[in-house]
Amino acid sequence: MQQIPRPEDVTWDQVLSEVKDVVFPQLWVKVQPAGRTLVNLDTIVYTNKYKVYSQTVTVLGFPVEVQAAPTSYTWNFGDGTTLTTTTPGSPYPSKEITHKYMKKGAVNLTLTVGYEARYNVAGTGFRYIGMVPITGPATALQVREAVPVLVGGGG
């Protein structure tokens, strides 16, 4: 005899496989100045603004509402340093989140967003999952060194 699925039979792994790319977007690092920066210069980083993501999917024939809210942002600056914040930062003129590179070279910055997640199967109440870390695509940055040049002069 075949068992009829019940709402409590729905597992988080089943739900996650249905919603991972939709509810947990991969955010990327936006950098100012864009594309290149200088050694010892405050380089501003930020990403898309905070919001709660919600999606309803069907698992085992039941509607499942999934909610995810970004609550932590771990910035990997590509030079061996990281920083975790609770906000997504802001573009210039804000200097909410900055980083100073100490040597020149090419780096790739990444952002891992920690989403607090929960789901509700067929209106039976939300089940809290906890933190789901999602790392976005890399952002390339050239770190250059400014060289002072004496010009003009005496006469």
Side-chain angles (χ1 to χ4, degrees), residues 89-124:
S90 298
Y92 182 84
S94 169
K95 288 190 169 188
E96 181 182 351
I97 304 170
T98 63
H99 181 68
K100 283 186 183 178
Y101 289 92
M102 304 317 285
K103 60 183 180 182
K104 65 181 180 176
V107 294
N108 286 306
L109 294 82
T110 57
L111 176 61
T112 301
V113 178
Y115 290 94
E116 290 289 331
R118 64 186 193 157
Y119 70 104
N120 182 347
V121 181
T124 59

Side-chain angles (χ1 to χ4, degrees), residues 42-53:
D42 275 340
T43 302
I44 299 169
V45 297
Y46 64 100
T47 192
N48 297 341
K49 290 293 180 197
Y50 171 96
K51 69 180 198 177
V52 174
Y53 298 91

